[in-house]
Amino acid sequence: MAVLKDLNVSQIVLGIETSCDETAVACVHSDRTILAQTIHSQLDEHAAFGGVVPEIAARAHLQRLRPLLEKTLADAAIRPEGLSAIAATTGPGLIGGVIVGATMAKALAFAWDKPFIAVNHLEGHALSARLSDDVAFPYLLLLVSGGHCQLLAVAGVGDYRVYGTTLDDALGEAFDKTARVMGLGYPGGPAVERLALGGDSTRFALPRPLSGRAGCDFSFAGLKTAVRQAVERLPAGAADDQDAADLCASFQAACGDILAERCGHAMERFAHEFGTCERLVVAGGVAANQALRGRLRDTAEAFGADLIAPPPALCTDNAAMIAWAGLERFQAGQRDSLDVSPRPRWPLDGADMRLVTPV
Ligand code: KG4
Ligand code: ZN
C-alpha cells in the first residue's frame, strides 16, 4: 500500500478512462508518482466479434468502474478529501463508454465537492511523456493509436498544432486489419509484432503510400489492401507459419519506412518553427511496438534528436495519463462545468479544445 502523502503541499488527481475497451482508474501525484492504478481490458468480451462492440463496451464499463474506483482509492490510501480534482476522458471515443466514465467523474466531483476536469483522450496520450519522462515543452509528438495517427507540435498544455494526420486508416487500425485478414485475432498489433520477429521483411514488396510526397500526412489504406491481396495469392492463405511471419515482417517494415519519412518531414518543420528539434516523442498504443520504436530512434538520431517513448503500459490506453493531463490542466487553473457534454469527436487542435472554463 502506498504511503499517505502530505496532502497540504501536494496535488493528487483521480483519473478515469473508458473511451474504448479499457476500463481504467488511477491516482496520480503532482510529483509524477502513480499512487495506484487499476485496469480491466475487455479482450474476452469482444474477442468473439473480432473488434470492439460499442454496446458491450459501455455495459462492461458500467459493471467494472465502481469496483476499480474503490480498489484504486484503497491501494493509493487516499480518502476523497485528499483529492485535488477528478478527471475523466470526455471524448473522443465510443460515446457509450465515454458517457459512463465522464458521468461517474461528474457525480464524484459533485458529491465530494471537487473540481471536475474534462480531459481529451488524445491530450492524455500527448502529455504522457511528461508523466514518464518529465519532457519539457515544446516537443514534436507522433501519436499512433487504434483510432488516430497524427504528427503534432506540443507547445504547451492545450496548445497543439497538428502537422499531419492520416487520410484514411489509423496505424493501429492497419495493424488490426492486417491481423484480421491473417486470422490473428484482436487486437492485432501485438500479434503482428510477435510474428514479425521470425519473418523476412524483404520477401513481400508492399507499397509505402505517399512516399516521396511533401508534408506530414499518412495513408495506410493501400498498404492494408496490398496485404490482403498478398494473403489471397498465397497457396495456403496465412496458414503457413513462415508465410505469415514474412508477411507480418514486410508489413511492419513498410510501416517503419512510412513513419520514418513523415517524421523526418515533421522534424524539419518543427526545427524551422521552434529553432531546433531535440526530441521526438511517440505515444499511443502502437508506440508499444519495439521494432517501430527502434526505427523511430534511428530516425530521430539521424536528425540529432532523442526519441522519447513512455513505457508500453503508458502507451496503450490507461487512466494514469488521464489523471496526469487533468493535473496539468488543474495546475494551469482550468476547471470544467458539470454541464460539459461527452463527445464522440473532439479534435486536439480545434477551437473547441477550449471546452475548459478558466477560473
Ligand atoms: O492507444 P490505444 O490503446 O487505444 C486507442 O486509443 O486506440 O491503441 C490501441 C491500438 C490497437 O490498434 C493495437 O493493435 C495497437 O494499438 N497496438 C500495437 C501494439 N500494441 C498495441 N500495434 C503495433 N504493435 C504493438 N505492439
Ligand atoms: Zn488511446
Side-chain angles (χ1 to χ4, degrees):
M1 186 172 282
V3 177
L4 202 62
K5 301 271 175 179
D6 180 351
L7 302 179
N8 292 322
V9 296
S10 51
Q11 289 162 340
I12 297 172
V13 171
L14 176 74
I16 297 176
E17 160 59 36
T18 55
S19 66
C20 190
D21 58 347
E22 258 91 31
T23 316
V25 183
C27 266
V28 172
H29 191 276
S30 44
D31 69 2
R32 294 188 161 77
T33 309
I34 299 172
L35 298 174
Q37 61 174 329
T38 54
I39 186 160
H40 170 73
S41 294
Q42 304 170 1
L43 290 183
D44 294 344
E45 282 95 329
H46 303 289
F49 304 96
V52 180
V53 182
E55 291 78 8
I56 294 176
R59 183 177 294 262
H61 288 307
L62 203 55
Q63 287 167 342
R64 299 283 176 167
L65 188 52
R66 188 166 168 182
L68 292 185
L69 262 167
E70 287 168 357
K71 180 163 177 12
T72 306
L73 289 172
D75 287 355
I78 292 289
R79 287 181 294 274
E81 52 272 33
L83 295 170
S84 310
I86 320 278
T89 297
T90 307
L94 300 175
I95 194 63
V98 175
I99 289 173
V100 170
T103 305
M104 174 65 93
K106 288 181 191 177
L108 294 177
F110 182 73
W112 294 341
D113 194 21
K114 298 289 173 189
F116 165 65
I117 317 275
V119 172
N120 182 310
H121 178 84
L122 303 176
E123 184 172 45
H125 281 302
L127 299 178
S128 59
R130 289 172 54 77
L131 169 61
S132 61
D133 293 78
D134 199 3
V135 181
F137 295 125
Y139 53 86
L140 178 66
L141 173 76
L142 170 66
L143 175 54
V144 273
S145 72
H148 301 275
C149 186
Q150 295 185 346
L151 272 160
L152 49 148
V154 178
V157 177
D159 186 355
Y160 311 107
R161 305 168 199 179
V162 175
Y163 282 5
T165 188
T166 184
L167 305 178
D168 38 60
D169 293 344
L171 182 53
E173 202 178 346
F175 267 90
D176 293 336
K177 288 179 177 168
T178 290
R180 191 182 306 174
V181 297
M182 298 180 68
L184 298 178
Y186 178 86
V192 170
E193 179 177 19
R194 244 185 337 268
L195 264 184
L197 283 174
D200 172 4
S201 63
T202 61
R203 169 149 167 225
F204 293 91
L206 298 174
R208 275 78 171 145
L210 300 182
S211 174
R213 301 258 289 272
C216 305
D217 285 335
F218 300 90
S219 168
F220 295 103
L223 174 58
K224 176 189 72 183
T225 304
V227 170
R228 182 172 48 74
Q229 290 168 341
V231 173
E232 286 165 1
R233 277 196 296 269
L234 287 167
D240 179 275
D241 288 350
Q242 195 56 51
D243 287 346
D246 292 346
L247 192 49
C248 285
S250 301
F251 166 78
Q252 199 167 261
C255 294
D257 286 349
I258 294 167
L259 292 183
E261 191 201 42
R262 313 321 284 177
C263 287
H265 293 177
M267 285 192 285
E268 278 168 22
R269 177 166 164 190
F270 187 96
H272 183 70
E273 286 176 17
F274 292 91
T276 171
C277 182
E278 292 167 6
R279 291 171 299 267
L280 170 63
V281 173
V282 59
V286 184
N289 184 297
Q290 297 299 326
L292 293 181
R293 281 186 187 217
R295 193 67 210 280
L296 289 168
R297 183 165 293 111
D298 293 345
T299 308
E301 284 171 3
F303 202 85
D306 291 328
L307 178 78
I308 296 169
L314 267 187
C315 285
T316 48
D317 285 350
N318 66 90
M321 70 179 189
I322 303 304
W324 177 256
L327 204 148
E328 293 235 39
R329 286 195 161 260
F330 179 74
Q331 290 183 332
Q334 297 170 343
R335 317 283 184 261
D336 285 291
S337 154
L338 297 183
D339 294 336
V340 162
S341 297
R343 38 177 65 189
R345 288 179 213 287
W346 186 4
L348 206 43
D349 67 339
D352 58 355
M353 186 61 209
R354 307 204 336 230
L355 247 184
V356 188
T357 328
V359 289

